[in-house]
């Protein structure tokens, strides 16, 4: 049955949902609070440099292919992809780094030079990881989180133990070298929790990394947003920006519309791709499915301190993606999850899109993105940002053996306060709700409101979880749920 559907937000999940809903024959309108679309995946352009403000890793290309195939399209119809070779580099000290190749055989050979016998162990570990990937990404995550029975299949029954073990222990049973352990634990950080709190089944992230590789869309991840916008508009979705949602109108337990920039807009169905907690604050308290106490007890993925830096020269001794694991991971993780505070010595990540993409920076110059994971909800100030920029620049220059500070043309920062201001993000989290055992599938906030009829949610705080590929899947899941309930 045809419905008039209003969508809050224009991130990956909202755009994906808009396409599916329009294809089903509904009238779909998107309202975005910011001046440009993309949610957390917006773009910064300055002095000839181009930066992705949010996600910079393109993993699980098959999920993007599956999304576009649902509309008879391919990613290549909209943007150009390059497989990064090498995928990334990890620094552990001066002249002490591991470069991850773009294929498993070379990665296994690299592992073997670091720890004898580790190549065989890696192949065995990756075979299990691929099996998990086939179950999870090709099937399990495409379920709406309505019932625990969704997790019970002949395949998952064989792997029940992997839901109660954890990635950290699994890796340490096979590998002894600290560098290899940290490299293998890195992919699950995208799920927002410590490896010791992440179920073993999520080793499928290792297959996403070593098995499928790391890719880069020309002109950055924002190219994917623009592709989805184009697809949505081809399906007659209307997209509006600079629209502040002030209230979700509920009458007799049913969502009836929105108040946007002071104006009442009627709707048959409301779908929010905005922050779940914030969306519920647009309702009267009696209509909220989750209390403040509920949110306070949840394990949230980290926030981040990000710097977008224009350099007046090319940066040496780095790859497109470069990780700096030269300090104690456990101490940094403790400052995020156990005792929230600014870490004394943070791990950090750097991306140099102009290594792959000539248009990301003027000729002879370099675009750099630096990210420090932080606990959500901690103090954020310009003074702290400046202090931590100096901290990571000290180490960056030392580890990569070059002077870069004097080559900084400009730097822009983005941190906890900005996540709150720009995205209404709960405590300024960057990635959503972590995928721990008790925050998986049906244990996550629901796609459909339990209190208000015709109100739905999508995105990283609901099913299936944080990350760009899950956001695309979330959009599909909620559209199917809406379609099922409007027949």
């Amino acid at each position: 049955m045809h419905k008039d559907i209003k969508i809050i937000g224009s991130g990956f999940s909202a755009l994906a949902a808009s396409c599916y809903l329009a294809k089903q024959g509904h009238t779909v309108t998107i309202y975005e609070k910011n001046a440009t679309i993309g949610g957390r995946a917006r773009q910064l352009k300055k002095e000839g440099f181009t930066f992705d403000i949010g996600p910079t890793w393109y993993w699980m290309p098959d999920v993007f292919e599956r999304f576009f195939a649902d509309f008879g399209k391919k990613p290549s119809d909209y943007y150009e992809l390059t497989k990064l070779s090498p995928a990334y580099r990890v620094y552990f000290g001066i002249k002490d780094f591991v470069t991850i190749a773009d294929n498993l055989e070379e990665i296994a050979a690299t592992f073997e030079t670091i720890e004898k016998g580790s190549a065989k162990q890696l192949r065995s570990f990756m075979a299990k990881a691929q099996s998990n990937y086939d179950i999870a990404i090709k099937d399990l995550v495409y379920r709406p989180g309505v019932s625990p029975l969704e997790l019970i299949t002949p395949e998952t029954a064989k792997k029940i133990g992997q839901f109660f073990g954890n990635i950290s222990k699994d890796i340490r049973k096979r590998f002894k070298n600290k560098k290899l352990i940290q490299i293998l634990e890195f992919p699950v950080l995208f799920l927002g929790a410590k490896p010791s709190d992440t179920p073993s089944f999520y080793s499928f992230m290792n297959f996403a990394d070593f098995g499928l590789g790391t890719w880069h869309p020309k002109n950055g991840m924002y190219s994917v947003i623009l592709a989805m916008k184009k697809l949505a508009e081809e399906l007659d979705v209307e997209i509006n920006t600079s629209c502040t949602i002030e209230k979700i109108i509920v009458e007799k337990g049913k969502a009836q519309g929105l108040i946007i920039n002071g104006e009442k807009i009627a709707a048959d169905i409301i779908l929010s791709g905005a922050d779940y907690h914030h969306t519920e604050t647009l309702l009267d308290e009696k209509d909220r499915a989750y209390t403040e106490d509920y949110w306070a007890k949840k394990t949230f993925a980290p926030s981040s301190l990000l710097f977008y830096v224009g350099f007046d020269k090319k940066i040496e001794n780095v790859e497109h993606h470069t990780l700096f694991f030269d300090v104690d991971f456990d101490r940094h993780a403790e400052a995020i999850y156990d005792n929230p505070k600014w870490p004394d010595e943070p791990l950090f990540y750097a991306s140099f899109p102009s290594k792959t993409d000539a248009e990301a920076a003027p000729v002879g110059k370099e675009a750099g993105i630096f990210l420090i994971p932080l606990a959500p909800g901690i103090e954020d100030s310009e003074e702290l940002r400046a202090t931590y920029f100096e901290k990571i620049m000290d180490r960056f220059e030392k580890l990569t053996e070059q002077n870069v500070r004097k080559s900084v043309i400009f730097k822009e920062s983005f941190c906890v306060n900005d996540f709150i201001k720009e995205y209404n993000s709960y405590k300024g989290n960057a990635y959503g709700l972590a995928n721990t055992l008790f925050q998986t599938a049906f244990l996550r906030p629901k796609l459909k409101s339990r209190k208000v009829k015709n109100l739905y949610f999508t995105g990283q705080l609901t099913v299936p979880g944080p990350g760009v590929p899950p956001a695309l899947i979330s959009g599909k899941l909620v559209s199917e749920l809406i379609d099922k309930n409007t027949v």
Side-chain angles (χ1 to χ4, degrees):
M1 187 184 297
H2 171 272
K3 296 289 184 181
D4 182 7
I5 301 175
K6 308 300 188 189
I7 298 180
I8 304 171
S10 65
F12 282 108
S13 57
L15 286 171
S18 77
C19 293
Y20 286 110
L21 292 167
K23 183 185 175 188
Q24 290 165 9
H26 302 295
T27 298
V28 182
T29 310
I30 287 174
Y31 297 96
E32 165 61 50
K33 75 178 281 286
N34 292 309
T36 56
I37 66 161
R40 297 171 196 233
R42 292 182 301 154
Q43 192 177 63
L44 169 65
K45 289 194 172 190
K46 185 170 182 177
E47 296 181 31
F49 293 82
T50 302
F51 307 89
D52 280 315
I53 291 177
T56 55
W57 293 78
Y58 190 106
W59 273 6
M60 305 184 187
D62 52 322
V63 174
F64 294 86
E65 288 163 9
R66 184 166 171 177
F67 168 74
F68 285 105
D70 283 341
F71 304 92
K73 304 285 187 179
K74 304 185 295 293
S76 59
D77 293 332
Y78 297 97
Y79 54 90
E80 181 183 327
L81 270 182
T82 301
K83 190 176 188 185
L84 298 185
S85 181
Y88 54 92
R89 175 180 290 187
V90 187
Y91 270 98
F92 296 97
I94 300 169
K95 291 186 171 64
D96 182 9
F97 59 84
V98 176
T99 301
I100 301 300
D102 68 348
N103 63 88
L104 182 57
E105 280 311 301
E106 285 187 58
I107 296 169
T110 298
F111 270 45
E112 190 67 21
T113 65
I114 296 170
E115 180 182 321
K116 188 171 177 59
S118 63
K120 182 180 178 181
Q121 286 290 349
L122 180 63
R123 290 188 188 96
S124 173
F125 179 75
M126 290 301 296
K128 286 190 174 181
Q130 181 171 2
S131 172
N132 289 351
Y133 190 91
D134 288 343
I135 294 168
I137 304 303
K138 293 180 181 177
D139 179 23
L140 222 54
V141 296
Y142 285 91
R143 300 185 181 203
V146 172
S147 163
L149 296 177
E150 293 172 8
L151 296 178
I152 302 171
T153 69
E155 291 78 14
T156 58
K158 299 172 190 172
K159 296 176 178 283
I160 191 69
Q162 291 194 45
F163 287 93
F164 298 98
N166 69 69
I167 289 282
S168 186
K169 282 184 180 177
D170 291 353
I171 291 170
R172 282 166 171 76
K173 284 177 187 174
R174 293 175 178 271
F175 305 92
K176 304 305 176 192
N177 184 275
K178 188 175 179 181
K179 295 175 192 174
L180 301 187
I181 289 169
Q182 285 191 282
I183 289 168
L184 287 166
E185 286 183 338
F186 156 66
V188 302
L189 298 179
F190 283 95
L191 300 170
K194 290 190 293 186
S196 58
D197 291 333
T198 303
S200 303
F201 185 71
Y202 284 104
S203 68
F204 65 71
M205 290 296 293
N206 292 101
F207 180 72
D209 180 3
F210 289 177
L212 299 175
T214 303
W215 301 73
H216 176 74
K218 187 175 181 182
N219 298 322
M221 290 294 286
Y222 199 64
S223 293
V224 187
I225 289 290
L226 294 178
M228 296 175 74
K229 174 180 183 282
K230 186 176 180 184
L231 174 60
E233 290 177 338
E234 289 168 354
L235 293 162
D236 295 325
V237 173
E238 180 186 329
I239 301 174
N240 301 284
T241 55
S242 301
C243 294
T244 300
I245 312 296
E246 297 160 5
K247 185 79 175 173
I248 297 173
I249 301 167
V250 178
E251 295 175 6
K252 297 179 180 178
K254 184 184 293 186
Q256 302 278 14
L258 300 168
I259 298 178
I260 305 173
N261 297 340
E263 180 185 356
K264 288 186 178 181
I265 307 289
D268 295 322
I269 291 172
I270 303 294
L271 167 61
S272 178
D275 178 275
Y276 203 124
H277 168 269
H278 169 73
T279 303
E280 286 220 313
T281 68
L282 301 174
L283 298 163
D284 292 336
E285 194 167 337
K286 65 180 176 60
D287 294 324
R288 298 172 193 170
Y290 302 101
T291 65
E292 289 298 323
D293 188 52
Y294 170 90
W295 294 110
K297 289 178 179 177
K298 291 296 168 186
T299 301
F300 274 81
S303 185
S304 299
L305 169 57
L306 291 131
F307 295 102
Y308 311 99
V309 186
F311 294 98
D312 69 5
K313 68 175 184 180
K314 302 304 286 184
I315 305 300
E316 300 175 353
N317 304 326
V318 292
E319 299 296 343
H320 181 130
H321 294 299
T322 306
L323 305 166
F324 294 85
F325 286 0
D326 56 305
V327 296
D328 191 308
F329 170 84
D330 291 332
R331 287 184 64 191
H332 188 170
E334 184 181 326
I336 295 173
Y337 297 102
D338 304 323
N339 180 26
K341 64 177 182 176
W342 283 81
D344 295 327
E345 292 295 335
L347 285 76
F348 67 98
Y349 151 70
S351 173
F352 302 93
S354 43
K355 291 289 178 192
T356 303
D357 205 329
E359 295 181 24
V363 176
K365 300 179 181 180
E366 201 88 85
I369 302 167
F370 297 83
L371 182 153
I372 301 172
L374 296 173
I378 60 174
E379 177 191 2
D380 173 19
S381 69
E382 290 302 322
E383 292 75 20
L384 280 165
R385 297 184 192 197
T387 296
Y388 276 79
F389 184 74
E390 294 305 318
K391 274 182 182 276
I392 63 172
M393 282 299 107
D394 283 344
R395 283 171 40 213
F396 183 83
E397 289 187 329
K398 185 177 177 182
L399 293 166
T400 64
E401 301 180 280
Q402 63 191 312
N403 296 313
V404 299
R405 275 187 178 88
K406 292 180 180 177
S407 297
V408 174
I409 303 168
F410 65 83
K411 74 174 189 294
E412 299 274 345
S413 66
F414 200 96
C415 198
V416 174
N417 291 345
D418 301 299
F419 281 102
I420 294 170
K421 178 187 172 188
E422 299 293 318
Y423 312 130
N424 295 311
S425 171
Y426 182 75
K427 291 187 176 181
N429 79 83
Y431 309 110
L433 205 57
N435 258 338
T436 61
L437 176 61
F438 295 107
Q439 294 182 176
T440 293
F442 68 96
L443 296 172
R444 297 179 70 81
K446 302 299 183 187
L447 292 166
K448 186 178 187 296
S449 172
R450 290 188 285 107
K451 292 282 193 80
V452 179
K453 192 175 180 183
N454 295 343
L455 175 61
Y456 296 82
F457 300 84
T458 187
Q460 56 192 5
L461 267 70
T462 183
V463 181
V468 177
L472 298 183
I473 295 167
S474 185
K476 179 172 185 171
L477 292 176
V478 76
S479 70
E480 291 173 343
L481 203 58
I482 291 171
D483 194 46
K484 179 182 175 183
N485 290 329
T486 55
V487 174

